[in-house]
Amino acid sequence: MKYRIEKDSIGQIKVEDNKLWGAQTQRSLENFVISHEIMPIDLIKALVSIKVACADSNHYFRKLDSSKTNAIIKSGMEILKGKYLDQFPLKIWQTGSGTQTNMNVNEVIAHLAKNNIHPNDHVNMSQSSNDVFPTAIHVAISANIINKLIPQIKLFINSLKTLEKKYSKVIKIGRTHLQDATPITLGQEISGWKASVENCLIQINNSLNYLNELPIGGTAVGTGLNCPRGFDKKVCSYLSKLWKINFKPLPNKFNGLAFKERVASTHSQLKVLATTLYKIANDIRFLSSGPRAGIGEIIIPTNEPGSSIMPGKVNPTQCEAMMMVCNQVIGNDVTISLCASQGNYELNTFMPIIAYGALWSIRLLTDAINSFNHKCVMGITINNQRMKHNLDNSLMLVTALSPKIGYAKAAEIAKLAYKENTSLKQAALKLKYVSSKEFDELVKPEKMI
């Protein structure tokens, strides 16, 4: 293996000759050999895009000449197109400000750009890791939510709309407290699922209004030292065009560096989405349970054998996968919430794990919704015979008699039917509270929905 010597303010260090990074990246590689989680590529791309935007802005403010500006932008754009992504190997578990990853990006761009470009003096001009890294977190999260997660949420909502319409007239027994309740249509039940997901989408979009305010221009502690006035607006304008997202400067840079409530707020909406998806997946799991000893009112697609020992078994695997994902997202929210509370004085120093957790949640939800939608929800069918049997045998249909005979007598009918294992009609006639004709006129599930 051939090596070259790189230098930084501490001294000299050996770097493999085929690597594009410099001394600070190498030191981080050697000093933080902790687990295997590396900085997400989406975060790296966000950082690179900021370097490109900053180079353009520094040129606008006459701090960087055309030659160096063009070299930095060209190198950055090559990375954004997918080249050299293996040159960003640093772990999540490093300095809490993300400084070493910021320098990793600076060093790789400088190495690619050549032209006597220095990673600190030129690529990092008018910047600090303390404002660049949180800006990258905002950009990466927003871009991934808008371009990846939201399209999957919308497709999922459309699938629920299709099922809602398809089963709008299919009457089934409702359930509360896991016990039989009054009738409902399957379409109505699904409409509740759909409305919850739609509400989640609204709240996620609302949270992006705040997340898309960027702390760039605050430099080290929020004062904007070594940064020209108006730099933040220029950078945000460039990033908006590059990402096709409306980014704008965060008004109070001290807030942007020290506090992470914007990220925590957006992720909290992902957590709410996770609780909604968990509920839907669990409902489907129970409604399809059986097929003979459970509820068995709906039928889910058969994707793979369900057991290594029991032939013919089919399990709700897509539901289980979705529920595991939701639990992980909820766990990530706890981690992000704790880390967001650790903004000591002028800087939060838990940013790498905040970024990692948030981007992981987005990726998990995006993939899980896609899988759950296509491999389960879109293929749901119904067991008409089982659904009608459960409906006809429900004791809670007696609720339709309450307006005529009162709650107490209706309850007496239900208890007698349960005790003697007879139908509600048989119990009602035995107690002589209504006639056969009256019972048939009043107890009609289609009129109870």
Side-chain angles (χ1 to χ4, degrees):
M1 184 68 67
K2 293 183 179 180
Y3 294 90
R4 67 178 187 276
I5 301 298
E6 291 281 349
K7 295 187 293 184
D8 59 13
S9 59
I10 292 179
Q12 296 183 341
I13 190 169
K14 289 194 332 184
V15 177
E16 290 181 16
D17 207 32
N18 63 339
K19 305 303 182 187
L20 301 179
W21 60 74
Q24 292 198 47
T25 302
Q26 188 64 35
R27 293 190 195 284
S28 182
L29 268 178
E30 296 177 8
N31 290 331
F32 295 96
V33 185
I34 304 173
S35 193
H36 61 272
E37 297 86 6
I38 64 172
M39 285 289 178
I41 289 300
D42 289 324
L43 184 70
I44 297 298
K45 288 184 175 180
L47 279 166
V48 171
S49 73
I50 293 165
K51 300 301 172 180
V52 169
C54 286
D56 178 79
S57 301
N58 280 315
H59 181 255
Y60 176 84
F61 288 104
R62 299 181 181 179
K63 294 187 67 178
L64 196 64
D65 66 44
S66 297
S67 176
K68 287 183 171 58
T69 299
N70 292 335
I72 291 172
I73 291 175
K74 181 182 177 182
S75 298
M77 295 307 293
E78 286 184 347
I79 296 170
L80 291 177
K81 290 176 182 177
K83 295 183 179 180
Y84 312 111
L85 296 180
D86 60 340
Q87 298 300 309
F88 305 98
L90 299 188
K91 301 292 176 63
I92 290 295
W93 320 106
Q94 53 163 280
T95 174
S97 62
T99 298
Q100 290 145 0
T101 288
N102 181 42
M103 285 308 304
N104 181 196
V105 171
N106 289 335
E107 289 174 345
V108 171
I109 290 176
H111 193 101
L112 287 171
K114 301 175 183 178
N115 201 26
N116 293 320
I117 289 176
H118 192 277
N120 296 81
D121 295 339
H122 303 125
V123 185
N124 202 63
M125 182 183 285
S126 304
Q127 308 153 59
S128 164
S129 300
N130 298 351
D131 67 340
V132 165
F133 203 84
T135 297
I137 293 175
H138 287 214
V139 170
I141 292 174
S142 183
N144 276 269
I145 287 176
I146 291 171
N147 297 324
K148 297 178 182 179
L149 178 58
I150 287 178
Q152 291 302 324
I153 294 175
K154 289 180 176 178
L155 288 172
F156 184 55
I157 290 171
N158 286 336
S159 294
L160 294 178
K161 285 180 179 177
T162 299
L163 289 178
E164 177 190 0
K165 183 177 180 180
K166 182 177 181 180
Y167 298 123
S168 62
K169 296 181 180 179
V170 176
I171 304 172
K172 64 185 288 292
I173 196 65
R175 294 178 177 86
T176 59
H177 301 271
L178 300 182
Q179 305 296 309
D180 298 349
T182 54
I184 189 174
T185 70
L186 181 58
Q188 288 172 328
E189 188 167 31
I190 294 170
S191 77
W193 303 348
K194 179 201 69 179
S196 188
V197 179
E198 287 175 332
N199 291 336
C200 289
L201 179 57
I202 290 169
Q203 296 306 317
I204 290 169
N205 274 317
N206 287 343
S207 75
L208 294 179
N209 292 329
Y210 301 98
L211 187 72
N212 290 343
E213 293 181 335
L214 308 181
I216 192 70
T219 63
V221 294
T223 60
L225 180 67
N226 295 341
C227 179
R229 187 179 297 274
F231 184 79
D232 55 352
K233 292 181 181 179
K234 185 66 177 172
V235 172
C236 287
S237 176
Y238 193 101
L239 290 173
S240 296
K241 293 175 183 176
L242 187 63
W243 289 98
K244 294 180 174 58
I245 298 172
N246 184 27
F247 294 117
K248 49 193 174 184
L250 198 157
N252 190 304
K253 303 297 192 288
F254 306 103
N255 166 258
L257 273 57
F259 293 83
K260 293 291 161 279
E261 79 274 8
R262 284 170 170 77
V263 177
S265 177
T266 296
H267 194 275
S268 72
Q269 299 308 322
L270 301 184
K271 177 197 68 177
V272 173
L273 174 63
T275 63
T276 292
L277 293 170
Y278 190 104
K279 196 269 188 202
I280 293 170
N282 209 22
D283 280 357
I284 291 173
R285 185 170 68 137
F286 280 120
L287 289 173
S288 65
S289 62
R292 293 186 174 177
I295 294 174
E297 291 179 348
I298 67 174
I299 302 166
I300 56 176
T302 301
N303 296 320
E304 67 277 312
S307 173
S308 61
I309 189 173
M310 293 174 281
K313 197 169 191 299
V314 177
N315 293 332
T317 52
Q318 289 294 323
C319 296
E320 292 163 1
M322 172 60 82
M323 292 161 74
M324 285 192 287
V325 162
C326 292
N327 283 336
Q328 183 61 62
V329 171
I330 293 167
N332 288 347
D333 194 69
V334 173
T335 299
I336 289 169
S337 298
L338 288 171
C339 291
S341 73
Q342 300 301 307
N344 302 125
Y345 303 114
E346 278 64 62
L347 185 67
N348 180 289
T349 54
F350 290 79
M351 288 192 285
I353 188 58
I354 289 174
Y356 181 79
L359 291 171
W360 188 20
S361 290
I362 296 166
R363 186 172 71 250
L364 281 172
L365 288 168
T366 300
D367 292 347
I369 291 171
N370 179 54
S371 181
F372 185 56
N373 188 23
H374 287 89
K375 300 292 184 180
C376 180
V377 172
M378 291 173 67
I380 287 176
T381 56
I382 61 171
N383 184 335
N384 271 308
Q385 184 179 358
R386 188 58 171 268
M387 202 171 284
K388 188 175 188 308
H389 172 81
N390 289 342
L391 177 65
D392 292 343
N393 284 278
S394 171
L395 299 177
M396 290 306 101
L397 295 179
V398 78
T399 307
L401 296 177
S402 291
K404 181 173 180 63
I405 65 176
Y407 183 95
K409 289 181 178 179
E412 192 178 349
I413 292 172
K415 289 178 180 179
L416 180 64
Y418 180 70
K419 180 181 178 181
E420 296 186 353
N421 195 27
T422 61
S423 69
L424 284 174
K425 185 173 183 178
Q426 288 173 311
L429 295 179
K430 184 175 183 179
L431 292 170
K432 299 181 180 180
Y433 288 151
V434 291
S435 67
S436 177
K437 181 180 179 182
E438 286 175 322
F439 186 93
D440 291 341
E441 288 177 347
L442 292 170
V443 185
K444 291 185 176 181
E446 63 272 19
K447 291 185 177 181
M448 300 175 69
I449 56 174

